[in-house]
Amino acid sequence: MTRVATLALAFVVTLAAVIGGAAAVGFVTADGAAPAPEIQNDHYLDDDLIVDDSPGQGTVEMAASAGSQTVLVDPGVEATGPGPALPFSLLGLGGGGVDDRDIRPLANALIENGHDVDVYVPDPGQRRRPARPGVDRPTQLGERLAEADAFVTFRTDYEPKQLDEIESFVESGGHVVLATEPDAAYSEPGAASLDATLDVTTRPGYVYNMDENDLNYQRVYAEATGDAALTEGVDRAVFPSATPVGTAVGGTDVLRPIEGSELSTTRAATEAPLLVRNDEVVMIGDSDFLSPENARRADNDALIGNLADFLVTNDRTPPGDGGSTGSAPPEPGRPPANGTAG
């Protein structure tokens, strides 16, 4: 047999094998199109899990009538440039900033109700005056905390001296909201020191629910279990990606995942809280619920308004100051509490 005849025969045999094999497994049909594969995942077929994907309406309102307060926000930005980043861009207020920390619904509610929102970004170029002998000068964060009444942070790694300043801030009556994420244990491993300082805890993994959720299995619902001030008007909250949190001693579980929720690290059912309060400290196992699009899901707008009230109704008494800033009466002629769309 010639070489050409041999190659032709090999081509025919190969083609026959491909077509025959395809026919055997059903890849080729009469019209030449492959049939759609059958979906085996029941949670994608359950009609009960198809929910309204429209965001709805969200209005973040405050009820607290405290006088003007200063809320310091630390978005966890490292000092890598010649100067600090634009503060409002970090809150999604100026555009072109750090989108991960878009907390406009909370910031807008505070501002529209007469409070100041400051953003802490460490400035590597800031010159600090040399300390006098025997005088322990505060860090940049400590200087800003001394002027604040409340503090919002995202489980950042802090130096030991900064942790001492945060602890002193809480001991003087300042309120703290600490929000974390499931991956914070990997991205900010040193943040466990902040947890210990504030007497709160977190667990590895994320909570999910295959039976009932908001748009996808990681967007879990949480229901109120305690602390009426933080759960006023909150039947259900939605956390887009939540990790379990807790308190070291004597705290209160405020929101727990609904029935059917499980923990990713164990694949077992979990009722571990997603929001807790320990006196002047509130810890939340998610931060994305603060964004504008998530503020309009379920009762997140009411929850954000309650957190704003918690921040400004403090008994902050800075060291050396005999007065209390958090219980000041409303300013004369000040209009009632405003609301702002989330």
Side-chain angles (χ1 to χ4, degrees), residues 52-338:
D52 183 9
D53 61 358
S54 61
Q57 299 295 320
T59 302
V60 178
E61 296 178 339
M62 293 182 61
S65 58
S68 180
Q69 303 284 289
T70 298
V71 178
L72 181 65
V73 179
D74 180 5
V77 177
E78 295 183 0
T80 55
L86 294 175
F88 289 111
S89 67
L90 297 172
L91 301 179
L93 301 177
V98 179
D99 296 333
D100 290 345
R101 295 291 179 252
D102 188 347
I103 61 170
R104 275 176 288 177
L106 176 63
N108 287 349
L110 290 165
I111 293 170
E112 292 189 10
N113 280 272
H115 306 288
D116 296 324
V117 177
D118 292 343
V119 179
Y120 167 71
V121 179
D123 181 2
Q126 177 179 327
R127 294 183 179 180
R128 302 177 62 196
R129 292 175 296 173
R132 298 192 304 272
V135 176
D136 186 16
R137 293 196 59 81
T139 66
Q140 291 183 39
L141 176 63
E143 292 175 350
R144 300 292 296 277
L145 284 173
E147 302 172 352
D149 302 291
F151 185 44
V152 178
T153 182
F154 297 89
R155 207 161 180 260
T156 300
D157 282 347
Y158 291 109
E159 299 174 358
K161 184 172 179 56
Q162 293 175 316
L163 292 172
D164 291 340
E165 292 167 337
I166 293 172
E167 185 176 19
S168 297
F169 176 82
V170 173
E171 290 175 348
S172 66
H175 278 191
V176 176
V177 168
L178 169 60
T180 186
E181 296 286 346
D183 61 353
Y186 306 100
S187 61
E188 302 289 350
S193 298
L194 177 62
D195 297 348
T197 298
L198 299 176
D199 289 328
V200 293
T201 61
T202 186
R203 293 173 57 185
Y206 62 87
V207 177
Y208 65 94
N209 193 314
M210 307 292 278
D211 298 326
E212 186 176 3
N213 54 62
D214 179 67
L215 300 179
N216 69 62
Y217 68 99
Q218 264 190 281
R219 295 177 58 89
V220 295
Y221 289 112
E223 296 177 328
T225 60
D227 199 319
L230 287 172
T231 58
E232 177 69 27
V234 181
D235 179 38
R236 279 188 172 186
V238 171
F239 294 125
S241 180
T243 192
V245 295
T247 58
V249 179
T252 303
D253 297 349
V254 180
L255 291 173
R256 288 179 177 270
I258 64 171
E259 184 178 359
S261 299
E262 300 178 356
L263 184 61
S264 64
T265 53
T266 62
R267 304 297 179 183
T270 181
E271 293 182 347
L274 302 180
L275 189 152
V276 295
R277 178 176 179 179
N278 188 16
D279 295 327
E280 282 77 29
V281 178
V282 167
M283 185 174 191
I284 312 158
D286 179 72
S287 62
D288 290 338
F289 79 98
L290 292 165
S291 68
E293 60 271 20
N294 288 314
R296 293 180 293 216
R297 309 297 301 186
D299 298 319
N300 282 10
D301 54 347
L303 176 59
I304 294 171
N306 295 341
L307 290 172
D309 288 336
F310 164 79
L311 288 168
V312 302
T313 54
N314 58 75
D315 295 318
R316 167 83 164 129
T317 305
D321 185 351
S324 173
T325 61
S327 57
E331 301 172 2
R334 185 171 175 234
N338 298 319

